Amino acid sequence: MTLLIDTYTMWLREILRYKRNWRYLGFQFLFPFMIIVLLGFGFGDLINLGQNISYIDFISSGFIVFMIANGGLGGGFNLIEERNNGFLREVIVAPVSRASIILGKIAGRATLSTAQVIVLVLVLSTMANLSLRNFHITLLSLILMTVLFVCVGVIIAAYFQEAEIYRTIQGMVVFPLMFISGIFFPIDRLPLWLKWISYVNPITYAVELFRFSVLGRNTLPIWISTTLLVVLSTSTFFLSVWLFDRKFRE
Amino acid sequence: MPPAIILKGVTKRFRKNKKEFTAVDNISLEIPRGKIFGLLGPNGAGKTTTISMICTLLTPTKGKILLEGIDVTKDTLEARKRIGLVFQETTLDLELTGRQNLDFHARLFKIDNRKRKVDEALELVGLTKDADVTVRQYSGGMKRRLEISRAIIHEPAMILLDEPTLGLDPVSRRGIWEYINMLIERKNVTVLLTTHYLEEAERLCSRIAIIDKGKVVVQGTPEALKAKIGNDIIILSLKRDDPKLAARLREMKGVKRVVRENGDLFLYVKDVDKTIVPLMKLFSEAQVSGLQIKRPSLDDVFFHYTGHKYEDAAEPERKVNA
Ligand SMILES: Nc1ncnc2c1ncn2[C@@H]1O[C@H](COP(=O)(O)OP(=O)(O)O)[C@@H](O)[C@H]1O
Ligand SMILES: [Mg+2]
């Protein structure tokens, strides 16, 4: 019970911060929309996917995953900032469980992502085949992704103090993984060795599940993607809580 | 009544520049209830490290800390509920308003009548008018006042303040002192503050412990500490060094100690009024170029117990986030 109350408190602050920062908020909706339109219509003709699917359908469902994943990592980045500007101490010495601190970050991110997904899918549905008809699965994949990426962010933040290093890791490890996860190109077009990497890449399964929910397309059985994501996100969650208690105090 | 805070043999070691470094070295203290207790020491003495261990931000390498009998490393959550904190560097959320910062804190501590308590806290430190302005726009003094009000909103039994007036101008500093005194008058709370300002410790604290290089050098009331090293000091500026004169002065009644430093003689005497006249007879105008009478300060207490001057003891200022 107290876990829920504390999570709510942490969530409330995240929401207040979003509300005060309307410029950031506007950008969060505008930027993905611009990219999707640019890639989908600008480059769409260069990439022929066949199988009666247009590139705008493909990239819009994929790029939303990119956006959610990136936002989740931003939650971890946020912890580095909060540690450096001192605020994190206020939370660390409060009588609240460590899990609620991370859950609050996840909940805040998930709220923003949900709003982004609803708005983007509704707007894009006028120009592509996306829809919210499987909204429960959309929501499930969104939550699992947010848990996974916020916690990966926390784990990275636990080991690195500087924002620059964090961004380097994001650029050198996470972005390449996103490129071979089926966000921008179908996996079956990749060379064999990259295909294998993409199958051990958790983002692949997030893309699978999300694309299935908004587009009704999948290349792997859905239960496999779902199970893998559930297992991965819960284990990274527990790892991040454990690390948070050990690494953020000293 | 048992002490509010007990430290028993508390030690903290860090790895610093690839070497073991003892920041707090076997400190034992008892901090009595309902008073303002000061930890006084130069930069790098280990004050922040000590506060951080008491408030559970750091775990001691060795030793035990009890808050009203609660072991802070064992019953961490219970200990946290009893403490109100003001850190050396701000821990406010600059993007939120003053009121939102307090409300967040009140929720974290799950206090009843949250809205009323927040209003009262703002009123107490005179921030009602600016309550709905983002903290980013607050002055340094306003931020510190907000942090003080936040520290007491959950009615903690003890309030820890780490360098509460660091970086403030003299007027704001005096204001903060008033609020700290008010804390003690209003409720039966214990205040533990650290400072590297001698004047602050002297004005504010009913008891102090002087720490240097991680060790408690001496503790007591400021008056007692000063009285212990001699009630007054007479400084004789000599025209040239004169060991014989120093020896004769040492023999005099009422002189506790004579220290020679750079051609000056420091006489620690019990009562300057009784010593000054017989003293005059011991030297001639030819020997002495000046005479000064000084009541001892905590500066002198520090020098007396550590053998080095207070202003030389500080580590070079570490870079802190603005
Ligand atoms: N996390 C840390 N790692 C290594 N050394 C530290 C750490 N924190 C403090 N120190 C060192 O411990 C000593 C005491 O620091 P501190 O407690 O901040 O002193 P004060 O607050 O009295 O100025 C300093 O020499 C400081 O450099
Ligand atoms: Mg300090």
Side-chain angles (χ1 to χ4, degrees), chain B residues 62 75 157 165 177 184 221 238 245 274:
Chain B
K62 259 200 300 204
D75 212 345
T165 65
W177 287 351
I184 282 293
T221 64
L238 302 184
L245 179 61
K274 288 191 184 132

Side-chain angles (χ1 to χ4, degrees), chain B residues 14-16 21 23 42-50 88 163 315 318:
Chain B
F14 289 116
R15 291 195 67 77
K16 192 174 159 188
F21 174 81
N43 273 325
K47 304 180 297 294
T48 298
T49 308
T50 306
Q88 186 173 330
E163 308 254 12
E315 275 189 355
R318 269 189 300 154

